[in-house]
Amino acid sequence: MDPLRPISEDLRLFVGRDEETRRYLVDLLSDKRALKVVTGDVGVGKTTFVNACQYMSYAGQSPDGFPFELPKLLPCFDKIQVREGNNLDVFFQQVMVTICQSIAYHCKIATIEPPTLVKEYLRFFLDLNIQSGGAGGSVGFNLPAGFGIELGGSGKASTPTSIKNIRHHLLKLVELSMDELRFDGISVVVNNLDILSKDSLLQFVNEARDELFDIPGIYWTLIGRKGIATVISTESDRVGDYLSGTELCLTPLKFPDTKQIIDRRVDELRLDSRPDAVCPLQEDMIYLFHDMSLKETRETLSICGEVVRRVIGVNPALKIIPREIAVSAFVQYAYERAKDLDLSESKVKILSAVWAKESCRPKDFANFDYKTIQGFNSALKVLSDKGILSVEEKGRARIYRMTGLTVLAAITGALGEEIRQAAASQMNKLSEPVASTMESEPTAFDEAQLSLELDED
Ligand SMILES: Nc1ncnc2c1ncn2[C@@H]1O[C@H](COP(=O)(O)OP(=O)(O)OP(=O)(O)O)[C@@H](O)[C@H]1O
Ligand SMILES: [Mg+2]
């Protein structure tokens, strides 16, 4: 399930987040050089949210009643993916390519010829990337289908001959965006900072601060795990001073919003190619899947999509999927997802502790069958990289919470019989056709977390 892109067709599908949108847009006005930090759990809708905000400032569409005029910023249609081990040079290149591709894409929408300089830069950097064997996939190139642009012409670009002075080239791009394309600046988004270790994160922001974050005309947004703004401001005063306001942490969408996301997508299908399209899932089934996914939007949409695909695939005439059939397709899907998790006994122990809301210290590693603290930490990292746990930095503690994937694994018994029964009873409770449950927010999974105190490290 890809995030919505910062283009009008996708933004029609964007639901909710009114309060957060206003906060983000006000931040955009407050201080041109400030770094905005957007955080939240896996699949909660961070990239989609930032894309929606980017589109608003690009298209000059502020929310109803928004009292200020937004700066017109060129959005980076492609987000920059940081990777552990990449240095600032790689990041520089990614920023150059992302901005050039976005300018080119903007020119395509506006049916104007991309500036020659932009074409030259792109040829240079794409060539550079190919010659260095793809630079370990370091340069973004995640533009969705149809975003590619024709460079035309052939031969090598003459500029820049060196990437040493990229700051100078970035300044040129900002100038070009303002003077030729009439933007007030460029919005650059750095995605997935959550995959960096705390040390790498700090090293990255410290290095980028002097070279990049103070370039006038570039508005930076960093997307990552909960708590990173606090980590940055407490551990690096120099960068902390650049942060705008507080971290914008996206909380999971409430059920009515999730339901509306699905309704909008069905409406779209109806307008598009399927005039008779209806959602074959009953509302209480969507509610069940929303809850079993811990309200992660991506997970909820994939469960709903999978259940519909599986059932309607073999029975296309079915208009409404009966409850028991929806539940059994869901359980079958859970088994398939859990199959690849490859959980060792010691990892199951960690997940059971998370389920039981325990807290512990790294020195408790032996209780989890690990020989060293490092082994224990790397097991936690594997679990969070696989999306079975989510992580939050909280002062000196790190909090691991379960995710929708943990619940899927639980249902299949991968975390042991006791937890399977607990998950099954929660599922049975929710799949009863009782409309009243939909009013209240269930709490059975809400707090499950393992909190680690890091002082002992
Ligand atoms: N407010 C929203 N309106 C409509 N769709 C949404 C909304 N938020 C999220 N989605 C949908 O949910 C899915 C997940 O969203 P997205 O990729 O933005 O999450 P994320 O938090 O960036 O995930 P990750 O942690 O993996 O980076 C996407 O398919 C997206 O289209
Ligand atoms: Mg994302």
Side-chain angles (χ1 to χ4, degrees):
M1 290 273 168
D2 290 329
L4 300 181
R5 298 162 299 174
I7 56 174
S8 60
E9 297 93 290
D10 281 17
L11 263 296
R12 284 204 298 267
L13 302 176
F14 183 68
V15 171
R17 301 268 182 235
D18 298 347
E19 180 55 36
E20 293 100 326
T21 304
R22 278 160 204 276
R23 258 187 69 193
Y24 183 95
L25 296 177
V26 167
D27 259 9
L28 209 58
L29 293 157
S30 67
D31 179 354
K32 285 187 178 158
R33 294 195 195 183
L35 294 168
K36 278 153 279 300
V37 179
V38 174
T39 65
D41 284 338
V42 190
V44 78
K46 301 176 291 295
T47 311
T48 294
F49 167 76
V50 173
N51 281 342
C53 294
Q54 275 197 315
Y55 184 76
M56 290 176 200
S57 88
Y58 176 54
Q61 284 178 8
S62 34
D64 287 345
F66 189 73
F68 312 104
E69 196 179 329
L70 293 175
K72 186 172 164 63
L73 303 183
L74 172 83
C76 274
F77 292 100
D78 199 11
K79 310 289 153 285
I80 295 176
Q81 310 286 330
V82 287
R83 290 189 171 79
E84 188 80 46
N86 279 1
N87 58 24
L88 204 64
D89 264 359
V90 172
F91 185 65
F92 262 144
Q93 292 175 40
Q94 290 176 303
V95 177
M96 282 297 290
V97 172
T98 302
I99 293 180
C100 286
Q101 283 182 325
S102 298
I103 293 178
Y105 185 67
H106 162 73
C107 292
K108 191 173 166 180
I109 300 176
T111 57
I112 51 177
E113 186 61 19
T116 313
L117 179 67
V118 169
K119 287 193 195 175
E120 286 186 357
Y121 278 142
L122 273 176
R123 231 176 270 135
F124 175 83
F125 283 105
L126 297 181
D127 200 37
L128 186 80
N129 189 48
I130 290 158
Q131 280 176 14
S132 62
S138 52
V139 181
F141 308 129
N142 295 307
L143 291 183
F147 269 51
I149 38 117
E150 283 296 324
L151 293 176
S154 62
K156 273 208 171 333
S158 50
T159 50
T161 49
S162 145
I163 56 159
K164 286 280 176 286
N165 193 8
I166 293 213
R167 188 185 160 90
H168 159 80
H169 296 293
L170 273 175
L171 284 164
K172 266 183 150 168
L173 283 181
V174 173
E175 198 181 287
L176 181 151
S177 307
M178 291 179 164
D179 297 347
E180 279 187 45
L181 303 172
R182 304 265 161 247
F183 283 105
D184 298 315
I186 304 176
S187 154
V188 180
V189 181
V190 187
N191 212 352
N192 296 348
L193 279 166
D194 38 320
I195 66 170
L196 297 187
S197 66
K198 194 164 157 183
D199 289 346
S200 306
L201 169 72
L202 289 170
Q203 185 184 342
F204 165 71
V205 290
N206 273 318
E207 285 178 9
R209 177 202 186 266
D210 301 324
E211 301 289 344
L212 288 163
F213 293 160
D214 67 341
I215 292 180
I218 301 190
Y219 293 63
W220 298 89
T221 301
L222 312 180
I223 301 181
R225 67 167 164 260
K226 286 191 214 164
I228 58 167
T230 318
V231 169
I232 294 172
S233 52
T234 47
E235 312 246 346
S236 169
D237 293 347
R238 301 169 62 251
V239 184
D241 291 345
Y242 269 55
L243 296 182
S244 97
T246 46
E247 175 173 309
L248 211 167
C249 179
L250 299 184
T251 49
L253 291 173
K254 298 255 179 346
F255 175 67
D257 282 338
T258 305
K259 173 79 174 56
Q260 208 190 337
I261 290 178
I262 293 171
D263 289 345
R264 289 236 187 130
R265 287 174 193 224
V266 175
D267 287 348
E268 194 82 352
L269 206 61
R270 214 176 291 136
L271 286 175
D272 196 22
S273 54
R274 293 267 318 276
D276 56 342
V278 283
C279 177
L281 285 172
Q282 298 178 56
E283 187 163 321
D284 51 2
M285 283 299 102
I286 300 176
Y287 183 77
L288 168 72
F289 300 147
H290 174 247
D291 196 69
M292 297 309 273
S293 318
L294 304 187
K295 310 183 181 83
E296 291 164 12
T297 309
R298 177 175 316 100
E299 193 68 52
T300 310
L301 296 183
S302 36
I303 294 174
C304 291
E306 275 298 317
V307 168
V308 169
R309 197 177 58 78
R310 281 155 199 251
V311 179
I312 301 296
V314 291
N315 194 346
L318 208 59
K319 285 274 173 283
I320 295 290
I321 301 178
R323 220 169 252 119
E324 319 76 69
I325 296 183
V327 170
S328 86
F330 166 59
V331 173
Q332 186 196 5
Y333 172 62
Y335 270 98
E336 280 168 33
R337 289 284 300 278
K339 203 172 65 204
D340 303 326
L341 293 179
D342 192 24
L343 297 174
S344 60
E345 229 173 274
S346 48
K347 292 207 179 74
V348 168
K349 250 190 184 172
I350 296 178
L351 292 169
S352 311
V354 177
W355 192 281
K357 309 174 194 184
E358 273 172 29
S359 79
C360 71
R361 289 169 177 266
K363 70 172 183 192
D364 297 339
F365 62 87
N367 299 349
F368 291 90
D369 303 336
Y370 288 91
K371 292 198 180 79
T372 59
I373 287 182
Q374 288 79 6
F376 182 46
N377 276 334
S378 62
L380 285 162
K381 180 156 180 358
V382 168
L383 290 172
S384 64
D385 287 350
K386 284 189 181 179
I388 316 176
L389 291 180
S390 70
V391 198
E392 174 178 352
E393 303 284 350
K394 202 160 199 177
R396 294 199 55 80
R398 185 168 295 160
I399 297 173
Y400 291 87
R401 284 200 181 77
M402 61 186 199
T403 64
L405 191 51
T406 329
V407 180
L408 288 193
I411 289 167
T412 68
L415 310 186
E417 180 52 23
E418 208 178 303
I419 292 181
R420 190 196 64 76
Q421 282 182 18
S425 88
Q426 171 74 354
M427 183 162 78
N428 291 336
K429 201 170 83 204
L430 288 161
S431 57
E432 282 163 15
V434 190
S436 63
T437 46
M438 277 185 255
E439 312 276 302
S440 62
E441 290 293 314
T443 54
F445 297 136
D446 276 354
E447 293 294 319
Q449 59 181 41
L450 173 73
S451 138
L452 278 183
E453 298 292 335
L454 291 180
D455 288 342
E456 315 273 326
D457 245 345

